[in-house]
Amino acid sequence: MSKIDSNNEGLSPANRTRTALLLLSALFFSANTHSEEASFAMVSPSTASATEIQLVEKDTDVFYLQAKLGSNATSEFLFDTGSGYLAINEKVLNRLKSEGDAQYRRSIRARLASGAINSVAVYSIASLDLGGGCVLHDVEAAILPGSTRNILGMNVLKMVDSFSVSFEPAKLVLSGCSQSAPDIVATR
């Protein structure tokens, strides 16, 4: 019997559960197979290739990226690790709601960049396509009044396994962007 490495520190609790269930399924399947030549390989989302997204510097040390919310056209987002939420303006929200891509979740008290504390609506957005095959689902967005710029905040970045930022050339690199469970592949 082979030894199984139980070091799951890099996996989220949900992925650890999925991985354990898939391993149990693989062990059950291998115990019930008549061929001793069958072997299994686990393909984890975190081992998949990274997604690179171009960042555009518009002002000194201010970066933007293109992303698509729901079935809307691509929009520009300020890349801001100081923002706790994806933030969109009311105009974008109205388009998303008209296409069935946004649902109200709750209201929160939020400190805005101005320092003011306001009540802000939070909506669940059906999907956020960051490009390069990185599509996230049921992403929460805080709604900002008027036609302010859209902001890509930390709640989006926490939905991937890891991220890094490079400056020459300017890009955002996301690892483990897929939120699907690891696949077990049977080989002969």
Side-chain angles (χ1 to χ4, degrees), residues 88-159:
I88 60 174
N89 62 49
E90 291 172 329
K91 182 179 175 183
V92 171
L93 173 65
N94 290 334
R95 280 191 312 225
L96 289 165
K97 285 176 24 178
S98 72
E99 296 176 10
D101 288 331
Q103 288 216 317
Y104 177 81
R105 291 292 179 228
R106 66 185 176 285
S107 182
I108 61 171
R109 307 245 335 128
R111 182 177 304 278
L112 304 180
S114 66
I117 297 176
N118 288 359
S119 180
V120 176
V122 174
Y123 279 73
S124 177
I125 308 303
S127 65
L128 173 63
D129 185 345
L130 294 170
C134 182
V135 180
L136 303 172
H137 299 280
D138 297 319
V139 180
E140 288 193 340
I143 311 307
L144 298 179
S147 58
T148 59
R149 63 182 165 205
N150 300 313
I151 300 170
L152 184 92
M154 285 301 296
N155 70 318
V156 171
L157 298 173
K158 288 179 180 179
M159 293 178 79

Side-chain angles (χ1 to χ4, degrees), residues 8 13 21 31 37 40 58 64 68 77 89 99 106 122 147 156 169 174 178 181 184:
N8 290 327
L21 290 172
E37 295 178 20
F40 297 90
K58 290 201 171 182
Y64 291 84
K68 181 179 173 184
F77 289 81
N89 62 49
E99 296 176 10
R106 66 185 176 285
V122 174
S147 58
V156 171
L174 304 172
S178 170
I184 293 191

Side-chain angles (χ1 to χ4, degrees), residues 49-53 130 134 157 160 162-163 172-177:
S49 61
T51 300
E52 293 185 4
I53 299 163
L130 294 170
C134 182
L157 298 173
V160 301
S162 66
F163 74 93
L172 171 63
V173 180
L174 304 172
S175 296
C177 192

